[in-house]
Amino acid sequence: MFQNQVTLETITMHRAQAPYVLESIDWDMPSVTPTTYRVPHQIGESLSGIVVGTRKPLLTGYVIANTMADAYKNVGWKEYYALQLEEIKQNKKILSRVFNIYQNILISVDGYYMRVRPTSPVKYSTDEVTNNNIMCMFSIELECYEEPLFYNKTKIIDLTTIKGMFKFPMTLTEDATDEFVAFGEIERGVAKEIINNGDIPVGCTITVEANGGNVQNPKVYDISTGIGIELTYNIQNGQRVIFTTEIGHETAILHQSNGAENIMVGYLSKASEFFQIKQGTNYYIATAKSGLNNMFAKIEFVEKYFAIETM
């Protein structure tokens, strides 16, 4: 499925179903350029990093008419072909409108997604063999700029979770201690497992909320490395802070109960880092200088892949 991210208009392409028949899709691969340096008299070079470039998917297919529709029944051949031609023209207009060079496209395939931008208007065949009153061949050139990878649904990990305490069967007696039954308790200050099965480390969104009282100097960090993010601020009851660690979009914003927002980057501790969730298994913990019992925290991130099984 292809969705225009501005108009939200969508088009679905199939291998053998009108009106858009997908002939082929070349997903391409991002360009990879090593960066190196050398010092005087060094033999060879030292690898300092890798620059991952864009990828350029290419779609080819055919616009055809849905000849199974009721409008095509009980008509002569001349009218039959005229109806097909008119329907193909309308479908071409829709295709060109969705793949607008000024608007991003969200591609959805087998539960994975990719954001792309058309680099030219839809190209239609000028050959009568592939552009007639039965079908029209098209090609669409795309480019994936900021995130040239596939991604799937957001993973959400609660760093403060509820531990179940209710056990069945349960017997209530006349004892006054049975008046209140604990069904669960909130666990805080406990490391939580976070697994990134993707192909690269990824940024995340961290939400810290004060509920039931204030939270002073909240901190979320990786227990194996000590790398994390700490806010030197007293979050008031009902307020929440959202940290974004995506490269190029790093920020920390305080959301107040009245809807106001304040940028809080200046309140980050000197040791804070806008960390990335590493590949594999990680363990993160949420703590605070005071008010830990009032603190709710969660981490959200999206796994990203260079290739998927459908390719």
Side-chain angles (χ1 to χ4, degrees):
M1 185 177 72
F2 303 85
Q3 183 184 59
N4 185 299
Q5 294 292 273
V6 175
T7 66
L8 301 183
E9 191 170 8
T10 62
I11 280 179
T12 301
M13 296 185 185
H14 300 277
R15 290 293 183 181
Q17 184 175 330
Y20 305 105
V21 177
L22 183 63
E23 181 182 55
S24 67
I25 178 166
D26 179 2
W27 291 108
D28 193 28
M29 274 292 177
S31 59
V32 177
T33 305
T35 57
T36 61
Y37 69 92
R38 63 194 310 271
V39 298
H41 311 297
Q42 178 180 351
I43 298 176
E45 296 180 334
S46 298
L47 181 67
S48 59
I50 293 177
V51 177
V52 179
T54 64
R55 71 193 304 163
K56 301 178 180 180
L58 174 64
L59 309 179
T60 58
Y62 293 88
V63 181
I64 63 174
N66 181 15
T67 56
M68 301 302 294
D70 292 339
Y72 291 90
K73 296 178 180 179
N74 302 319
V75 296
W77 283 111
K78 185 176 181 179
E79 186 178 359
Y80 181 85
Y81 286 123
L83 287 171
Q84 280 195 94
L85 182 59
E86 182 59 29
E87 185 176 344
I88 289 172
K89 288 180 179 179
Q90 295 303 316
N91 290 332
K92 286 167 64 178
K93 288 182 180 180
I94 296 172
L95 187 65
S96 297
R97 186 170 66 240
V98 170
F99 287 91
N100 189 313
I101 60 172
Y102 294 105
Q103 295 158 356
N104 286 337
I105 302 296
L106 179 66
I107 302 177
S108 173
V109 52
D110 291 345
Y112 293 89
Y113 305 89
M114 178 185 287
R115 287 189 179 90
V116 298
R117 175 70 70 92
T119 55
S120 71
V122 179
K123 297 178 181 179
Y124 298 101
S125 172
T126 57
D127 187 343
E128 188 176 355
V129 175
T130 53
N131 187 356
N132 46 56
N133 57 0
I134 297 177
M135 63 182 177
C136 178
M137 187 177 184
F138 67 83
S139 64
I140 305 173
E141 297 175 0
L142 307 167
E143 189 155 2
C144 188
Y145 290 97
E146 190 170 342
E147 293 183 342
L149 299 102
F150 294 94
Y151 63 93
N152 54 15
K153 294 181 180 180
T154 301
K155 281 188 171 183
I156 302 175
I157 294 87
D158 288 319
L159 299 179
T160 48
T161 57
I162 297 177
K163 177 183 178 181
M165 298 179 65
F166 178 79
K167 294 183 178 180
F168 186 84
M170 181 183 68
T171 303
L172 296 177
T173 69
E174 295 180 356
D175 192 331
T177 58
D178 286 339
E179 183 177 356
F180 301 101
V181 178
F183 286 86
E185 65 176 355
I186 297 175
E187 287 188 321
R188 295 182 173 89
V190 178
K192 301 296 180 181
E193 182 182 74
I194 297 179
I195 300 176
N196 176 8
N197 291 316
D199 292 336
I200 63 170
V202 294
C204 63
T205 298
I206 307 164
T207 302
V208 175
E209 183 175 357
N211 192 333
N214 298 347
V215 177
Q216 185 177 6
N217 293 18
K219 181 179 180 180
V220 175
Y221 64 97
D222 184 332
I223 63 172
S224 64
T225 64
I227 296 174
I229 196 163
E230 180 182 15
L231 190 71
T232 56
Y233 182 82
N234 189 23
I235 304 176
Q236 304 296 305
N237 183 35
Q239 295 179 339
R240 72 180 186 277
V241 180
I242 298 179
F243 306 91
T244 301
T245 72
E246 284 281 355
I247 295 175
H249 301 280
E250 299 93 337
T251 190
I253 299 177
L254 173 69
H255 296 261
Q256 305 200 40
S257 55
N258 62 4
E261 297 180 357
N262 303 94
I263 297 176
M264 304 297 289
V265 175
Y267 288 91
L268 296 179
S269 68
K270 292 183 179 179
S272 290
E273 293 186 26
F274 288 105
F275 59 83
Q276 306 290 293
I277 305 293
K278 302 188 302 294
Q279 291 172 267
T281 301
N282 307 269
Y283 292 92
Y284 281 86
I285 191 171
T287 63
K289 183 176 181 180
S290 65
L292 183 60
N293 289 335
N294 306 319
M295 179 176 169
F296 289 82
K298 65 180 179 180
I299 289 180
E300 302 173 67
F301 71 99
V302 175
E303 295 170 336
K304 298 178 181 179
Y305 306 86
F306 283 108
I308 57 176
E309 294 178 1
T310 304
M311 294 178 64

